[in-house]
Every structure is written in structure tokens, then in C-alpha cells.
Amino acid sequence: MAYQEHQEPQEQQHRPLPRQLPLARALRLALGLTAAAGALAQPAWAQSEVAEKIQRIEITGSAIKRLETETALPVQVITRADIDKAGVTTAAELMARLAANVGGLSDGASINVGGDQRGFNSANLRGIGTSSTLVLLNGRRMANFASPGDDSGVDLNNIPAAALQRVEVLLDGASSLYGTDAIGGVINFITRKDFQGVELNASAMNTREGGAGKRTASVSAGHGNIDSDGYNVFAVLDVQNTERLSTSQRKFVGELQVPQRLGHLLSSYTGPANIRLTSAQRDYLQENNFLLNGKPITNRMINLSIPGCAAPANLYLPAGTGGVDACTYDYMGDTELYPKSEKQNLLSRGVFKLGADHQLYAEVALSRARTWYVGSAARVNASIDYRKVPGLANSGLINVDDDDPEQLELRIRLNEAGRRTSELTSSSSRVVVGLNGVLGGWDYDVGLNHSVSTISDKDTHGYLLYDKLKEGIADGRINPFGPSGPAGVALLDSIQVNDDVRHARGTMDALDFKASRALLAMGGGDLALALGGELRRERTDFTPSALLMSNNINNDDAPEGGRATSDSRRVAGVFGELLLPFSKQWQAQLSSRYDHYQVVGGAFSPKLGLTYTPSNTLLLRASAGKGFRAPSMSDLFRPTVYSQTATLPDPVKCAAEGNNYADCADNWATRRYSNVELKPEHSRQLSLGAVFEPSKLWSASLDYWNIKRSDLISEIGDDVILGNLAKYGSLVHRDEDGAIDYIELRKENRGAQLASGLDLALDLHGLRSAWGTFGARLNGTYVLQSKLQTNPGDAYISNLNAFVTDGVVQRWRHSISLDWDQGPLSLSLLNSYSSGYTDQNSAINIDDGSVVAPNKVKAYSLWDLTGSYAVSKQFKLRAGVQNLFDTSPPYSNQAYHFLSGYDPSYTDPRGRRYYLAASYAFK
């Protein structure tokens, strides 16, 4: 999908929104209507004859309405037509196709068990963090996703996609106007403002191999003409349902050969259960010539069923985690790739004219997204008397181990309990009431904003009461080595957990205002001033259930020191902006903002932008500014989270074991802490660019951008800690025997981040011929550097074209659109592309101590074909094929995400899919 680089006028009555306003025309307007622009200083501007002909527009990145479409800051515009052509129905799908969006959170990456912030779909401009990308709805904030975690930002599930008129993406830091979380850029979702009539839309999508089908329906209704009736009221209701997609439904999962390539990433919890012997038990069995599969055992992990195991999910895989004497569980054959979901969005807006110069408006946005995340079957740690295990009952193990002489440790995959399923409900409500107009020559807008995000994370199936589960295994009702009898099945049914284990609520109340006017004439037009401010109160409430805090849910541990929390803070900000048209060629934009966060403190964020127009076909632009990002509520107050590392070596243990990774590498426990003492991050941004439009048929732009963040709010990576114990050894907590108990991961202000690159946009449009009208667009981002410094003085680590810790920033990403239309028929061919990169290449097989084979992840390119036919002015049909060539996600050995064999953060497992959409308008 490709996007327009030009800003468009807002929707007007009785005429379609134009594809773009060419640069040359905008410049002629800006440079040739100085006298008309001087009327900005008059209160009657809104009633003047000039205003009826020329509409001033407000562009994301400026608070001053103006005539020209190109500013000192680069803004990409995604139109309603672009959204329809791509066949996307959610804001998250739309942002996934944006070249500058790298590493945003997605449903695919949320597939896990016990994961953090499940259900959060986010944007991440420049790959510098979700928390540094500001998402707006009609120019105002929404409450952030309420669940505590590493990322803060707006859940894209809460954006009413069917109501969107366009999306403006500011690819430059704008903390000077919008606040501290706009370091990476701003995404402004803009809905319809004055819709009239009734419009019905419906679509259906199916995949070639089945699963992940989607059904959508929306109805839009509006009444009233602001000019003639003095009011307009409209509402849009959007409903979507998406089916789940299991690994068994995708051929490419088997073709990834995860067991053969990545057996060490699979699980040692199997059904029938693996037995984890103590060293003394293993040595005793070896000394007494115990044979398994006709051979003496060599490892502490054994399974009496080898080599049979219980295919297809349980495998005899000597190179897997189970090793040569046990079974290995392939969870990639027993999980889901894409979740089932239900989404409902309602947006309603009313505008009422108050005299000639003022309007009262109100906006209500309600949304609910329910998503069911399904992982593999429950895994259980339990013990059993060895005399109840056939094959070991007469082995004499009672005389072997003094600590617990009769017990065997089991690692069980409890298929009878079903797959672990969580129901995540993300709800939001947003009410805005405001007044705008012209008063005393000032163009003003003031509004009250009440926004709420509510998250309910519910364990619904596959999670069991642990105490009852252990009892059932110990007394034999639940059979860890095969099917259980009726009593065992009844017990499993009775101890299934169905509990809202985590409930979070985030509330934002804000009063904001802005006003602008022309002050005096300059060589290139009028000097214009904008002033504004905001008072905001943020509150977060987190309530773990009593059952969760009892630490009695198998596979869902209670947080350390967990308790219900309620935290709030006040934020105040003021800003000013000056537009200085020195001459017909030179123009400057000066802006500055001061924000103050309760407890954290405050800072100024200044910015300077310049444009130079040497001719009607060329515009040069530059900007430089500073910003800061206050720590989020989660950064400050998040409850402690238990998790674990990827498989990493412990240098202390490795030194004692002759550097044999089979004995000194493991998935070490971690505890992740917030920090109430955090200070803000600081940033500086720089951009240089040019826009070239030699004719009305085509244009091009190229922008260089450079961002540096310091005092970075981050944890030290677990791999970095273990790789430099001389510096970070105090963060590794060990037991009395020197073994790692847990690794402390604590938020601190440390280190820096550098990112720079080039944005390229090419646009060919309106090329008429006897065979129809043609067009083509490309938007691409070429990243020059992306690297992180863990601590001051440490070396920078680059994740550019290399998967490091939790992800990768690809060198080149682009979207392309090739368009043709003739009369009522139109066709579009779209391509989205991400370049290949060096894989993580660090996962360790603790069975034999080997490291994964190095891999280069292939480039990922998807093609979509869509067509539409206007049956009449009211009735339109659209059909398309997404992923035209049925391209599968490329193989990856990454060990960060729950899903193995590919990277789910930017790839799509659905394969080729077909959709049909219809719309009918009554106007």
C-alpha cells in the first residue's frame, strides 16, 4: 500500500475529496493570494467571499491553518480510497503496511501463554518504541492501553476504522506541539466530520487453506447541513468477527521444519510425561544396568515410552530438549497462529452552529475488542511415588536420594485439560465536548476530553487449580503417562479456572485549548501566531484477582508482592507557534512547549522548521528540535512480573563445567521491576528534505531524519547482564550453591538510542490514455542507523538488519501502489516489502550444548490485487486477493516470541485470502 505525501483539504459538501493538491497549485495559492490571506486578521473571515473559495486547512504538525499543503515537517496522508483499495478493516492492519512503522505490537506477537500486555495492537514509528509514537483521534488524545507493561500507547483496536476519512502521519518529532510522547512521530486518525445520508457496507474474507476468515459490516448515518440547517449529526457502527487459525491449518508450519532445525526451542513437558531424575537417581540406574530403548541411559531426562512417544505433537527427537532418552513436545503443532476476535466500534459526532462564527460539537467513541488467545496444552511440574510408575516400580530407587527418596519429578503435558485459553477484552470510551470558531480575530478551539481504557484478562480454559492438580497426579486419578479414567477426567473438569485474573482501567481527563490568528504582514504573507495548552489527569487502576494472588493457578504465577494498585498524576502543558513568511521563498515555523508531570518534573521542547521555495516546482525543508518523554505510569508503578530468559549460558557455571553449554545454559528466571524514581528521557530530532513537482502528473520527495534519545528508560537486557558479570553481576541473584535464582531486570535511566534514515516518496497520477487513467505511488524508508547503548560508556549495539534481543529494524521497507481506472471500473496492484536481515543466531541446545545454525532471514514481499466496479452512483462492489502469490513467512530462528520458526511481529500467517465487499449509499 502506498500513501500520499500531500495534505488534502477536509471533506466538503457535494464534492469528493481530491486525491491531492499539487505542490505547484498550492504554491500559487500561497504566493498569489497575499491580500486574501491578510483577511485572516479580521473577525469576519469565515463569512468573506474569499473564504468561500479558498479553504484554510490545519495540518498535523502545526496549530495554524494555512493555504499551502507542504510544510517544514513531512506528513504522509492515507485516504479513505487507499484504505478501501488495500481491503484492510482495522487500524492495526493499516499501520502494518506503513513503511515507517517498525516493530509495532500485533495479535501475532501476542500469541503466548502468560504473556505481557496481550491484545495490545500498537504503532511504532522509526522503531524507537511504541511509547514514543503519539496516536491521536481527530487531533486529540485517547487513553493509553490500561494493562501495565513495557509499552504505553493507544490500542489500535479502539480506532473506529469504518469511520475514518483519512490518516495523517507526521514523520517527525512534534513534542513542541503535542507533548512528550511524540518523539518518533504522530499518527492522527481523522474521522468524517459532516456526513449526510445512510451508507451500508459489508465484506467477507476467506483464506485459501481455511481459518482466519473475517466478516465485517458497518452502517453510517448522518443528517443535517451545517450551512443551511445549522447542524449535522452522524454515527458510524462497525462490527467485525475474525475466525481463529491453528497451526494444523497451515502447510508452511510443517515446511519450516521446526523440530529438525529448532528442536532446542521446543518443550521438555510431554504427554506421556518425561521424568526428570536427580543426579543420584540417574547414577543408580546406570550402575544397575537399567536399559531404555535397549540402551543404557545417559541423561537425567527419561521417558519410558521412547521411541514411540505420542506423535504428532510428542516426538522422539534426540536433538530436541528431551534429548536421546526422553520425548520432546512440538508446541508449534499444538497452538494457534492467529486469534479469534470480535470487534465493535461506534463513533457519533454532532456539530451545532451558534451564530455565524461559532460551533458547538460533541463526539462519542465506544469500542470493544474481545480476543481469544489460545496456546498449547497445560504444562505441569509434579511429583509421583516411583512405585506407581510401571517400569520403575521394582528399581529400588527408595534407597537412592536422601532428600525425597520415593519421589520422581515429572514434566507433564496435560492434553486432557485442553489448550490454555485466555479471553482478552479491551474496551474504550471517549467523550469530547468542544467549542470552536472565530472570536476577536482569533481562530479558537477548546474541548473537554474524557477517555477510558478497560482491560479484562480472563483465564477461561486449560488453566487449573494447582493444589488439586498435584493431588490428583499423586493419588493416581490423573494419569501422567496416558489417558485418565473417569475420575481423573471429572477432576480435571472440576478444577478448570474461569476467572478474570487481571483487570486494569486507565482514565484520562483533559481540558485543552488552542487559538491562532494573523498578526502583521510580512514579505511572503502574514505572520501568524498560535497559542495553546492542556491540563490532563491520568489514572491507572490494576486489580489482580484473589485467585491469581493465591498463586494456585497452574501456568499463571502471582506477581511478587502483588496487590491492587491505584495511581494517578497531573500533567500540564502550554505551547506557542509562530509562522514567519519572510518572503515568497522563505518561511519559518517556530514552536515550543513546556510540559510538567507531577512527581517527574518538566522540560521545554523547542522546534524550528524552515522551508525554501526557489521555484514553483521545488520546495526545500528542514527542521530541528528537542523533546523529552516522561516515564509512563507502568514504568513508575508496574507490579513485579515473573518471566524467564531465552536459553543463555551462565559464565560462572560454565567456568566450572568446562564451558559445556549442555550443563551451564538454561532458561533463567527473571523478575522485572518498575521504578518510581525514574526521570524523563531527552531527545533531539533533525530532518532535511526536498519536494519536487515538475508537472501536475508526478511529484517526488526525499527526507533525511535523525533522532537521538538519551537517559533512555529501559532495562538492561538479560543477555547483556550475563555477558558482562564484572559490571552487572549484582543483578544476578544466586542461591547458596551459586546457581542462578533469578535475574533482576529493573527500569532505569541509562544509555542512549540513535536512529537515522531516508524517506522516499514518488507519486505519478492522472496519466490519461485511450486505455484508461494510470497512476503509481511508492513510499519507502531506508534506515541508515539504528542502535542502542545499554549504559553510558558501553558500546552501541546495532539492531539494523539484525535481530537483537527482541526484534529487528529492517534496512529497507516500502509500499507500492499501481492503479488503473476507466469509467466505473478500477484495478490496483499493491506491494509491501521488508528487506532480509541477519537472524538472532544465538539459541542454545542444552541437550548437546550446540548453538543454532546461523541463518539469514529472507526478504518478505506481499502482493495484493483489488478491483472495484461502480454499479451505480449508490452501489459499489469491490473484490480482491490479498497475498496474491501465497507467500509464507520466511524462516527465522528467533527465540524471543512464543511462536517459533518465523517472526510473527511483522509477518502474516494467513496466506492467500479472497474478499468481497459491497457498499450502498442513500443520499
Side-chain angles (χ1 to χ4, degrees):
M1 185 173 181
Y3 305 108
Q4 293 174 233
E5 183 68 20
H6 298 284
Q7 168 68 31
E8 299 180 87
Q10 296 193 12
E11 186 179 36
Q12 301 180 31
Q13 295 292 329
H14 310 305
R15 74 172 189 175
L17 190 70
R19 286 174 56 85
Q20 63 179 27
L21 185 61
L23 174 63
R25 179 184 171 198
L27 292 171
R28 286 194 296 270
L29 288 173
L31 302 179
L33 295 174
T34 304
L40 282 168
Q42 303 301 320
W45 164 264
Q47 303 176 30
S48 70
E49 181 180 354
V50 176
E52 293 175 3
K53 297 179 180 179
I54 305 298
Q55 182 187 26
R56 294 175 301 148
I57 55 176
E58 184 176 314
I59 303 169
T60 301
S62 174
I64 298 173
K65 291 184 177 181
R66 61 189 70 190
L67 298 172
E68 64 267 36
T69 62
E70 295 292 349
T71 70
L73 308 181
V75 178
Q76 289 184 5
V77 178
I78 309 168
T79 68
R80 179 75 245 176
D82 294 324
I83 298 171
D84 289 339
K85 281 191 305 184
V88 297
T89 60
T90 68
E93 289 178 328
L94 183 63
M95 289 298 98
R97 295 166 177 260
L98 184 66
N101 181 36
V102 181
L105 303 177
S106 67
D107 276 334
S110 287
I111 293 286
N112 55 45
V113 284
D116 189 25
Q117 294 185 303
R118 281 179 296 193
F120 186 11
N121 280 238
S122 75
N124 183 359
L125 294 178
R126 308 301 190 200
I128 66 172
T130 288
S131 303
S132 295
T133 298
L134 178 61
V135 173
L136 303 174
L137 181 62
N138 290 331
R140 284 188 167 93
R141 291 173 177 267
M142 302 176 68
N144 286 339
F145 188 76
S147 282
D150 286 335
D151 298 286
S152 63
V154 171
D155 183 10
L156 296 180
N157 286 312
N158 298 147
I159 303 293
L164 294 179
Q165 180 62 34
R166 67 185 185 276
V167 184
E168 295 177 357
V169 183
L170 174 61
L171 296 175
D172 195 9
S175 298
S176 59
L177 290 176
Y178 297 107
T180 66
D181 39 6
I183 292 175
V186 180
I187 302 173
N188 190 6
F189 292 91
I190 300 172
T191 62
R192 295 171 174 176
K193 292 296 193 299
D194 51 4
F195 180 78
Q196 296 183 68
V198 177
E199 184 177 285
L200 304 177
N201 291 274
S203 70
M205 176 184 289
N206 289 318
T207 61
R208 184 182 67 83
E209 294 182 85
K214 181 188 291 187
R215 304 292 183 268
T216 75
S218 69
V219 57
S220 305
H223 183 69
N225 183 294
I226 295 176
D227 294 329
S228 60
D229 301 324
Y231 73 92
N232 175 261
V233 179
F234 84 94
V236 181
L237 174 65
D238 179 48
V239 179
Q240 303 186 29
N241 290 309
T242 303
E243 301 169 347
R244 61 172 45 95
L245 174 62
S246 294
T247 50
S248 60
Q249 295 175 283
R250 283 299 172 265
K251 181 181 177 182
F252 86 86
V253 175
E255 293 173 343
L256 290 172
Q257 297 183 318
V258 171
Q260 293 80 11
R261 288 166 149 174
L262 301 172
H264 49 285
L265 294 182
L266 302 180
S267 176
S268 61
Y269 291 81
T270 61
N274 281 335
I275 300 170
R276 178 69 170 173
L277 301 170
T278 65
S279 297
Q281 289 170 338
R282 178 198 58 188
D283 294 345
Y284 176 84
L285 292 176
Q286 288 176 332
E287 292 167 0
N288 285 271
N289 299 317
F290 178 80
L291 301 180
L292 194 58
N293 195 26
K295 301 176 182 177
I297 61 173
T298 58
N299 297 326
R300 288 176 54 193
M301 190 90 71
I302 66 172
N303 194 304
L304 301 177
S305 70
I306 65 166
C309 297
N314 299 279
L315 307 173
Y316 180 60
L317 196 66
T321 52
V324 69
D325 296 322
C327 300
T328 294
Y329 174 73
D330 179 14
Y331 60 81
M332 283 301 293
D334 186 31
T335 191
E336 291 191 355
L337 302 174
Y338 204 79
K340 173 186 174 182
S341 66
E342 297 174 353
K343 296 181 173 72
Q344 300 92 32
N345 286 282
L346 171 68
L347 178 92
S348 180
R349 180 181 172 89
V351 183
F352 305 90
K353 207 168 183 178
L354 303 178
D357 297 330
H358 310 282
Q359 292 182 347
L360 174 69
Y361 60 90
E363 183 179 301
V364 177
L366 305 174
S367 71
R368 185 178 74 165
R370 297 174 67 197
T371 310
W372 286 264
Y373 292 101
V374 181
S376 51
R379 68 175 191 267
V380 185
N381 284 304
S383 298
I384 193 172
D385 191 310
Y386 81 94
R387 287 166 293 197
K388 294 184 179 181
V389 180
L392 290 175
N394 300 317
S395 62
L397 284 173
I398 192 171
N399 300 316
V400 173
D401 203 312
D402 293 335
D403 293 333
D404 207 349
E406 300 179 359
Q407 297 298 307
L408 292 174
E409 178 189 343
L410 302 181
R411 295 189 176 183
I412 309 167
R413 183 66 55 173
L414 205 54
N415 296 308
E416 290 179 318
R419 291 178 176 178
R420 287 166 288 180
T421 303
S422 297
E423 178 184 318
L424 195 292
T425 303
S426 172
S427 303
S428 76
S429 62
R430 180 176 180 265
V431 179
V432 175
V433 178
L435 190 68
N436 63 24
V438 179
L439 182 65
W442 289 87
D443 193 339
Y444 74 90
D445 189 349
V446 60
L448 285 169
N449 181 354
H450 174 68
S451 185
V452 179
S453 169
T454 305
I455 309 298
S456 170
D457 190 353
K458 190 175 185 179
D459 290 343
T460 62
H461 193 74
Y463 294 92
L464 308 169
L465 296 176
Y466 190 44
D467 57 350
K468 302 296 184 184
L469 177 61
K470 288 194 298 182
E471 290 176 9
I473 293 170
D475 64 24
R477 282 177 293 169
I478 298 175
N479 182 5
F481 304 107
S484 300
V489 173
L491 175 61
L492 290 174
D493 290 341
S494 69
I495 62 176
Q496 290 276 356
V497 171
N498 187 5
D499 185 60
D500 186 357
V501 291
R502 297 171 186 84
H503 190 88
R505 178 183 171 89
T507 305
M508 184 201 70
D509 291 291
L511 169 65
D512 67 83
F513 75 93
K514 59 185 175 182
S516 64
R517 65 166 293 166
L519 296 180
L520 54 90
M522 297 185 70
D526 285 334
L527 181 150
L529 169 69
L531 299 172
E534 180 183 31
L535 296 174
R536 193 166 77 244
R537 182 176 182 268
E538 300 174 348
R539 180 186 180 93
T540 60
D541 298 281
F542 176 71
T543 308
S545 71
L547 180 56
L548 178 67
M549 294 317 305
S550 71
N551 205 28
N552 195 35
I553 304 177
N554 186 58
N555 297 154
D556 201 348
D557 296 329
E560 179 188 20
R563 57 183 175 84
T565 59
S566 181
D567 302 289
S568 65
R569 67 181 177 188
R570 290 181 175 85
V571 182
V574 292
F575 73 86
E577 180 187 0
L578 278 174
L579 181 63
L580 301 165
F582 298 113
S583 68
K584 293 181 179 181
Q585 287 78 35
W586 286 97
Q587 179 175 280
Q589 177 186 348
L590 299 174
S591 57
S592 183
R593 181 182 180 104
Y594 179 79
D595 286 289
H596 184 273
Y597 281 71
Q598 187 178 6
V599 178
V600 173
F604 280 101
S605 301
K607 195 172 190 71
L608 167 64
L610 293 171
T611 59
Y612 173 56
T613 312
S615 70
N616 285 351
T617 62
L618 180 64
L619 180 145
L620 305 177
R621 59 190 175 195
S623 70
K626 291 185 177 181
F628 86 111
R629 183 180 80 83
S632 69
M633 299 290 276
S634 284
D635 292 334
L636 296 168
F637 307 116
R638 174 188 183 179
T640 301
V641 176
Y642 284 18
S643 59
Q644 64 180 21
T645 71
T647 307
L648 297 171
D650 172 15
V652 172
K653 191 173 183 180
C654 285
E657 299 287 348
N659 288 315
N660 181 0
Y661 283 174
D663 296 322
C664 65
D666 208 340
N667 303 106
W668 309 109
T670 63
R671 296 182 189 178
R672 308 174 70 189
Y673 299 93
S674 58
N675 184 356
V676 73
E677 302 295 329
L678 287 172
K679 302 302 180 185
E681 297 178 351
H682 292 84
S683 68
R684 60 115 181 100
Q685 295 88 229
L686 170 70
S687 68
L688 299 168
V691 183
F692 180 57
E693 189 174 4
S695 78
K696 64 179 182 180
L697 294 179
W698 74 278
S699 63
S701 68
L702 181 66
D703 289 278
Y704 167 79
W705 50 272
N706 188 299
I707 302 171
K708 179 179 180 179
R709 292 197 297 162
S710 55
D711 301 318
L712 208 62
I713 298 171
S714 66
E715 302 164 345
I716 301 177
D718 44 40
D719 51 349
V720 176
I721 291 172
L722 290 177
N724 191 352
L725 290 180
K727 189 170 185 178
Y728 303 120
S730 62
L731 300 177
V732 180
H733 297 260
R734 301 179 183 273
D735 60 24
E736 57 187 14
D737 297 324
I740 293 177
D741 185 14
Y742 67 92
I743 299 173
E744 177 183 334
L745 303 178
R746 188 177 298 273
K747 295 282 188 180
E748 299 281 0
N749 290 101
R750 53 165 64 90
Q753 183 177 22
L754 298 175
S756 64
L758 299 168
D759 290 330
L760 173 66
L762 301 173
D763 188 1
L764 172 67
H765 52 273
L767 188 60
R768 303 182 188 279
S769 73
W771 301 280
T773 303
F774 294 87
R777 282 179 285 160
L778 175 145
N779 281 88
T781 296
Y782 186 86
V783 182
L784 298 172
Q785 70 171 349
S786 176
K787 55 187 180 180
L788 286 164
Q789 182 190 48
T790 300
N791 243 4
D794 288 357
Y796 279 91
I797 300 172
S798 175
N799 64 347
L800 176 58
N801 254 23
F803 193 111
V804 176
T805 305
D806 60 354
V808 60
V809 173
Q810 291 98 340
R811 171 79 71 179
W812 171 255
R813 288 166 57 93
H814 75 233
S815 59
I816 295 175
S817 172
L818 305 173
D819 304 315
W820 169 85
D821 64 82
Q822 186 170 36
L825 182 64
S826 66
L827 291 173
S828 294
L829 182 65
L830 302 99
N831 172 246
S832 58
Y833 177 89
S834 297
S835 61
Y837 57 90
T838 300
D839 216 347
Q840 194 170 23
N841 297 334
S842 61
I844 297 170
N845 184 346
I846 59 174
D847 185 58
D848 61 12
S850 62
V851 180
V852 67
N855 179 57
K856 175 82 172 180
V857 179
K858 295 179 180 178
Y860 188 55
S861 180
L862 298 179
W863 291 88
D864 302 337
L865 178 64
T866 181
S868 68
Y869 183 75
V871 180
S872 66
K873 290 184 178 180
Q874 294 79 28
F875 185 37
K876 178 181 281 189
L877 291 173
R878 182 176 295 278
V881 182
Q882 293 182 340
N883 196 349
L884 185 63
F885 300 107
D886 204 15
T887 302
S888 300
Y891 167 75
S892 169
N893 61 32
Q894 62 81 23
Y896 178 78
H897 298 286
F898 173 77
L899 296 176
S900 293
Y902 70 102
D903 187 338
S905 67
Y906 72 95
T907 59
D908 193 327
R910 291 177 293 174
R912 185 185 300 146
R913 47 204 184 274
Y914 312 91
Y915 73 91
L916 177 66
S919 66
Y920 195 92
F922 304 87
K923 292 187 177 181

